[in-house]
Amino acid sequence: MTSKIESNLNSTIVIVGGTGDLSLRKLLPALYNLEKRGLLSNVNRIIGTGRADFSQEEFLELVTTKYLEFVCSDKSKILQCDHWTDFLKKVDFCLLPADEPNQYDLLKAMITADGDRPPVTYYLSTVPALYGTICQQLKSHGLAEDSDRVVLEKPLGNNLETCNEIHAAVAEVFNESNTFR
């Protein structure tokens, strides 16, 4: 049984690597399914990031195209669905090559655009070798607060040594209780 997490706080989900295969095939469709079931009511924004310089419209078109390709091939069914429209209203795009420090200010502006700074869940959908760099950049730009969470996609590293390095780098920024694997 799945239940909605009751919270008075609105939150934001940031998918670092939001234009990648994992995000488009699995993460965004899963978030849409949660939206359909009424389980994302406390999430007011889903920000996909990526290296490609997409406009907002281009990113939403990519999300829709890939959803139709991988999940539901009936275009009329999805495009006329109120849940899909509501879901897309939550979705934004931010140009963010993960290893370019100056781009994190754009993400910060998007997260705080409504004037408040909601709790953020960062889903790192990139190569694990970038996890430490991303977390350090989030911290140095004031984007990693105590209320924030990070989700790490497995596998972590190529062996035990690189796995431990990744864990240590993430632990420098995010508390273990806010780190999900």
Side-chain angles (χ1 to χ4, degrees):
M1 180 171 114
T2 304
S3 62
K4 182 168 74 173
I5 297 172
E6 295 299 327
S7 173
N8 293 330
L9 293 173
N10 283 327
S11 64
T12 296
I13 297 173
V14 174
I15 303 173
V16 181
T19 58
D21 193 56
L22 175 67
S23 175
L24 295 169
R25 279 183 188 253
K26 301 292 184 182
L27 301 179
L28 289 165
L31 290 170
Y32 170 59
N33 284 328
L34 291 173
E35 176 73 25
K36 282 194 316 189
R37 295 171 61 194
L39 299 173
L40 280 187
S41 60
N42 67 327
V43 174
N44 60 350
R45 262 179 135 177
I46 300 166
I47 302 171
T49 74
R51 295 178 293 188
D53 193 5
F54 287 119
S55 69
Q56 174 70 11
E57 295 76 26
E58 290 170 327
F59 182 63
L60 294 179
E61 180 62 32
L62 176 66
V63 170
T64 301
T65 300
K66 293 301 182 180
Y67 187 84
L68 291 168
E69 180 181 344
F70 299 128
V71 181
C72 174
S73 61
D74 187 348
K75 188 172 185 172
S76 64
K77 186 176 180 181
I78 188 70
L79 296 180
Q80 295 174 3
C81 179
D82 289 341
H83 294 296
W84 184 252
T85 303
D86 291 343
F87 177 70
L88 288 184
K89 288 178 185 174
K90 293 183 178 190
V91 177
D92 279 319
F93 179 74
C94 179
L95 175 65
L96 184 72
D99 56 349
E100 289 188 26
N102 58 339
Q103 295 297 112
Y104 285 80
D105 289 331
L106 297 172
L107 180 60
K108 185 173 188 174
M110 289 185 82
I111 290 172
T112 59
D114 298 332
D116 292 326
R117 177 29 172 100
V120 179
T121 299
Y122 296 98
Y123 194 110
L124 305 188
S125 180
T126 64
V127 295
L130 290 175
Y131 290 177
T133 300
I134 293 166
C135 290
Q136 285 300 320
Q137 291 301 328
L138 292 172
K139 180 180 178 180
S140 69
H141 286 85
L143 289 167
E145 296 186 0
D146 290 341
S147 61
D148 296 339
R149 294 175 245 167
V150 65
V151 179
L152 308 175
E153 186 60 38
K154 293 181 181 179
L156 299 176
N158 299 321
N159 53 40
L160 181 60
E161 181 182 347
T162 57
C163 179
N164 288 336
E165 289 170 3
I166 291 167
H167 284 290
V170 172
E172 288 179 22
V173 179
F174 291 97
N175 189 330
E176 179 62 29
S177 64
N178 290 351
T179 303
F180 300 86
R181 296 166 190 85

